[in-house]
C-alpha cells in the first residue's frame, strides 16, 4: 500500500474523530447548561412558594393583632362611627372580623408594593 494513501486515510480518520469528539463535547456542555438552568428554575419556584406560604401564615398571625390595634384606635378616636358600624355589621365581633380581614388584605397589598419596588 502506498504510504501517502495510508497517511491521508489516517489523517481523515483523525479529523472525523476530532469533529465527533468536539461535537459531542459541545452538545454535552449545552445539555449540562440547560439542566443547570432548569434546576435553578425549580429551586427558585420552590423558594418563592415557601416564602409565600411563610408570609401567608405570618399575615394570619399579624392580621388579628393589627385588627385589634385598629379597632381600639378607632373606638377611642371615632366612637360614634364605631357604634354605627357595629350596628351595621350586626355586632362588635363581626366588626372586629371585618377589620381583621381588611388588615389581612392590607398586608398583602403592602407586600405587592414592596415586591414592585424591589424589581
Amino acid at each position: 500500500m502506498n504510504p501517502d494513501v495510508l497517511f491521508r486515510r489516517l489523517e481523515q480518520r483523525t479529523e472525523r474523530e476530532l469533529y465527533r469528539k468536539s461535537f459531542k463535547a459541545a452538545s454535552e456542555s449545552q445539555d449540562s447548561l440547560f439542566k443547570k438552568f432548569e434546576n435553578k428554575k425549580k429551586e427558585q419556584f420552590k423558594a418563592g412558594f415557601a416564602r409565600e406560604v411563610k408570609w401567608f401564615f405570618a399575615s394570619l398571625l399579624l392580621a388579628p393583632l393589627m385588627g385589634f390595634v385598629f379597632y381600639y384606635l378607632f373606638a377611642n378616636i371615632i366612637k360614634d362611627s364605631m357604634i354605627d358600624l357595629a350596628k351595621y355589621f350586626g355586632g362588635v365581633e363581626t366588626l372586629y372580623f371585618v377589620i381583621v380581614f381588611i388588615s389581612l388584605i392590607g398586608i398583602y397589598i403592602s407586600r405587592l408594593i414592596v415586591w414592585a419596588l424591589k424589581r
Side-chain angles (χ1 to χ4, degrees):
M1 182 168 228
N2 189 356
D4 290 334
V5 172
L6 179 66
F7 283 125
R8 228 179 280 128
R9 283 185 187 166
L10 188 64
E11 190 176 280
Q12 286 175 350
R13 194 173 103 205
T14 56
E15 284 176 4
R16 272 189 245 125
E17 287 176 6
L18 283 174
Y19 176 75
R20 281 189 206 123
K21 285 182 181 179
S22 64
F23 185 79
K24 185 178 177 183
S27 67
E28 286 175 357
S29 66
Q30 200 173 31
D31 289 340
S32 68
L33 280 175
F34 285 139
K35 286 180 185 176
K36 181 180 175 184
F37 286 121
E38 285 177 3
N39 290 339
K40 205 170 205 179
K41 274 186 180 178
K42 290 178 185 176
E43 290 172 6
Q44 287 176 349
F45 176 76
K46 288 178 184 177
F49 185 75
R51 184 174 48 246
E52 287 303 317
V53 168
K54 178 183 73 171
W55 269 105
F56 176 73
F57 286 117
S59 66
L60 284 179
L61 292 174
L62 286 174
L65 295 173
M66 288 178 59
F68 178 75
V69 169
F70 285 127
Y71 180 80
Y72 186 74
L73 284 173
F74 292 151
N76 284 329
I77 294 173
I78 47 173
K79 295 176 184 173
D80 296 334
S81 298
M82 288 297 285
I83 292 171
D84 292 338
L85 284 173
K87 287 179 185 176
Y88 178 76
F89 286 113
V92 176
E93 295 87 11
T94 310
L95 176 61
Y96 173 71
F97 288 130
V98 168
I99 293 173
V100 167
F101 181 72
I102 292 171
S103 297
L104 185 71
I105 291 173
I107 290 170
Y108 272 98
I109 289 173
S110 64
R111 278 204 22 83
L112 283 174
I113 291 171
V114 168
W115 174 76
L117 290 175
K118 281 186 177 181
R119 288 195 168 234

